[in-house]
Amino acid sequence: MSTDAIVLLKNDHKTVEKLFKEFEKADDEAYDEKRRIADSIIEELTVHAYIEEEIFYPAAREAVPETKDHVLESVEEHHVVVWMLSELVGMDPKDETFDAKVTVLTENVRHHVEEEEDEWFPEVRSAMGRKRLQELGQRMIDARPDAPKNPLELKSAHA
């Protein structure tokens, strides 16, 4: 398995996208399935955001100072997502706003992923190089077990 930081983040993006598609395909009244999928989305995005905020963003900002605005915007996007995740945590999937909230969350995350992968990751890859990205990726892997499960414990929740 690659330890390249950008590869790891893209793999997380793929995992979450798969969950979004699973949710979109679920029958309207498949409440247990929707709850299970939403719980997986919450955990995946919380761990992913933690790793980005604590490890990847600071390193990327240091390596490519001109991406400062992108990092700041990304943290604000995380802020919006984190609050939506926190609302989904205890929400009944039968609530009439549950599906709408997941839909808006999905749209926000897809926008965020597109910007990162198309605009930002190539700059960071170019500036950091393979060895540095592998070292960073290993730090990210090592940090996963300590990542919070509650979205409100992320720095971006209070940004």
Side-chain angles (χ1 to χ4, degrees):
M1 186 175 104
S2 174
T3 60
D4 180 294
I6 291 174
V7 171
L8 293 173
L9 294 175
K10 284 183 172 185
N11 286 342
D12 285 354
H13 293 166
K14 287 175 191 165
T15 298
V16 171
E17 179 59 31
K18 187 176 167 199
L19 290 167
F20 289 155
K21 286 182 174 166
E22 216 179 303
F23 190 93
E24 290 166 346
K25 289 178 187 167
D27 290 335
D28 284 346
E29 295 181 12
Y31 301 118
D32 290 344
E33 182 183 5
K34 287 181 177 183
R35 177 76 266 166
R36 179 191 57 76
I37 297 166
D39 288 344
S40 294
I41 290 169
I42 292 163
E43 183 173 341
E44 289 290 335
L45 287 176
T46 300
V47 170
H48 178 79
Y50 172 79
I51 286 166
E52 281 189 327
E53 292 172 18
E54 297 295 327
I55 299 169
F56 186 75
Y57 288 172
R61 188 171 171 178
E62 182 183 316
V64 192
E66 57 273 15
T67 65
K68 172 187 160 203
D69 289 344
H70 186 90
V71 171
L72 295 174
E73 183 181 318
S74 291
V75 170
E76 291 304 317
E77 288 172 349
H78 281 196
H79 179 77
V80 171
V81 166
V82 161
W83 279 95
M84 293 182 80
L85 293 175
S86 73
E87 291 172 358
L88 282 168
V89 167
M91 190 176 219
D92 186 336
K94 293 179 183 173
D95 185 303
E96 71 175 357
T97 63
F98 188 84
D99 286 4
K101 196 168 291 292
V102 173
T103 298
V104 172
L105 170 72
T106 300
E107 291 168 354
N108 274 277
V109 171
R110 283 177 173 157
H111 167 79
H112 177 78
V113 165
E114 184 180 325
E115 282 186 342
E116 279 188 344
E117 291 189 2
D118 295 348
E119 299 169 21
W120 197 43
F121 285 177
E123 285 181 73
V124 174
R125 178 171 298 291
S126 176
M128 282 193 169
R130 189 169 160 247
K131 187 176 187 300
R132 177 79 178 105
L133 284 170
Q134 288 177 334
E135 291 167 358
L136 195 59
Q138 190 57 56
R139 282 184 51 214
M140 290 162 53
I141 289 168
D142 293 344
R144 271 192 185 288
D146 298 324
K149 301 298 182 244
N150 178 348
L152 294 181
E153 292 177 24
L154 296 172
K155 281 183 183 176
S156 58
H158 311 285

